[in-house]
């Protein structure tokens, strides 16, 4: 944490690490979708939406939009 003067890892590296972790998490959730019930799918869709800024796009691509 801290401001721009704080010593630590480079911001870009932290950003990439967050991104990789999000990707792994989304992949894990996608795997769970294959054998999920309708209510579980809704819950997983909500988790993906909260997970990342582009979460809504991912949900749309997976076809989990509420009709």
């Amino acid at each position: 944490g801290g401001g721009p003067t704080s010593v630590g890892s480079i911001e870009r590296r932290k950003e990439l690490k967050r991104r990789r972790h999000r990707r792994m998490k989304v992949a894990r959730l996608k795997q769970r979708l294959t054998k999920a019930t309708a209510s579980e799918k809704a819950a997983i869709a909500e988790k993906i939406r909260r997970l990342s800024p582009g979460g809504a796009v991912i949900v749309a691509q997976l076809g989990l939009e509420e009709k």
Side-chain angles (χ1 to χ4, degrees):
T5 55
S6 72
V7 182
S9 59
I10 302 160
E11 184 59 33
R12 176 70 179 153
R13 193 158 294 147
K14 285 193 278 190
E15 187 183 321
L16 290 172
K17 189 176 179 188
R18 280 196 302 265
R19 207 161 140 191
R20 278 187 217 111
H21 190 256
R22 266 201 303 261
R23 255 177 125 162
M24 281 166 43
K25 203 161 178 183
V26 167
R28 231 175 279 135
L29 288 170
K30 278 184 193 173
Q31 278 183 332
R32 277 175 48 196
L33 273 175
T34 54
K35 40 185 188 256
T37 62
S39 59
E40 285 171 338
K41 281 183 182 180
I44 291 173
E46 190 52 45
K47 281 182 184 178
I48 292 174
R49 255 188 229 105
R50 277 201 310 260
L51 194 63
S52 72
V57 178
I58 297 169
V59 169
Q61 285 172 347
L62 291 173
L64 293 174
E65 297 283 74
E66 278 91 48
K67 280 142 188 113

